[in-house]
Amino acid sequence: MVSPKGGDPLYRLLAWLSPAYPIGAFSYSHGVETAVEEGLIRDRTSLVAWLDSVLRLGTGAVDGALFAAGWRAAVEADWPAFDAVAERAAAWRGTSEMALESRQQGGSFLSITRTAWPHAALDEAHRRLDGELALPVAVALAAAVHGIALEQALAAYLHAFTANLISAALRAVPLGQTDGQIALASLEASVNETTRAAIAVDSLDEVGTATPLLDWCSLRHETQYTRLFRS
């Protein structure tokens, strides 16, 4: 599938989901910092187990379903449906830090993408939603209007999400770079299965989480004494 004006979908995904894309992803750990502090993540094995749960049973499952629903609405130019997904995505956060993490990165993503890869639908979404959009829905919108296939875009998004949390763990545990890459390789099946499961969701009402420790870590992080990360 080729995006408008002859652009390369893969090139755009690589740019948008690169650690260098200026949305501030490096400053968030999504609860990993507290999980390390509490001894829940101690090494590569426990990190992989933690992130596997986050992907399959927690944020990965929810954000993946939101991404797919937002992408489909944007492809159909059904903006009331898209805005409803965006509203749900904004509310579907268990803690204030998780809400900040998604909202700040989503707003930054929308802003920089409107500038570097402009499209009228991005400008309209920015106007309708006052520039505030949860990150998975913002990326889904950009992918849809630039002609990037859902499965390709969502898999790339979940890969980037996973890689960012591994990067946080490298700094917080700490772990070596080789351990980080082994962890990322070990989670390939988790990312792919979460992608397929999210695309298969018929209704967002069917989606939920089963990761109470993730929410607990996020809540604890708000008052943690020493912190490297914003979440």
Side-chain angles (χ1 to χ4, degrees), residues 14-223:
L14 290 173
W16 297 342
L17 299 173
S18 163
Y21 210 59
I23 64 171
F26 68 91
S27 64
Y28 296 99
S29 85
H30 202 72
V32 165
E33 185 171 28
T34 299
V36 172
E37 178 78 10
E38 298 294 332
L40 300 169
I41 297 176
R42 304 172 303 280
D43 50 24
R44 186 182 74 226
T45 300
S46 53
L47 172 63
V48 170
W50 179 270
L51 294 183
D52 178 72
S53 294
V54 171
L55 283 164
R56 296 176 189 266
L57 303 174
T59 307
V62 170
D63 282 3
L66 290 165
F67 188 111
W71 185 93
R72 290 178 177 127
V75 162
E76 296 295 328
D78 186 346
W79 303 119
F82 177 85
D83 292 351
V85 173
E87 182 178 2
R88 183 176 293 215
W92 213 342
R93 305 293 151 186
T95 68
S96 61
E97 286 193 349
M98 294 294 193
L100 169 67
E101 176 182 304
S102 187
R103 182 180 67 249
Q104 182 272 306
Q105 291 186 79
S108 296
F109 180 91
L110 184 59
S111 177
I112 190 64
T113 306
R114 288 172 61 222
T115 301
W117 282 274
H119 191 286
L122 302 181
D123 295 334
E124 284 299 309
H126 183 272
R127 179 189 60 78
R128 291 194 316 273
L129 302 168
D130 295 325
E132 292 199 353
L133 197 56
L135 181 60
V137 183
V139 179
L141 172 63
V145 300
H146 282 283
I148 301 174
L150 173 56
E151 185 170 4
Q152 181 184 31
L154 179 51
Y157 174 83
L158 291 173
H159 171 275
F161 170 73
T162 304
N164 190 63
L165 298 193
I166 290 173
S167 175
L170 296 188
R171 288 170 277 169
V173 172
L175 291 171
Q177 295 291 337
T178 300
D179 277 325
Q181 291 306 308
I182 294 172
L184 188 59
S186 300
L187 289 161
E188 180 179 350
S190 303
V191 168
N192 290 335
E193 289 173 19
T194 300
T195 299
R196 290 192 291 270
I199 291 172
V201 169
D202 292 324
S203 169
L204 291 177
D205 291 337
E206 301 172 0
V207 179
T209 63
T211 50
L213 270 180
L214 174 60
D215 293 334
W216 181 80
C217 284
S218 181
L219 289 167
R220 291 273 293 175
H221 190 265
E222 294 176 4
T223 57

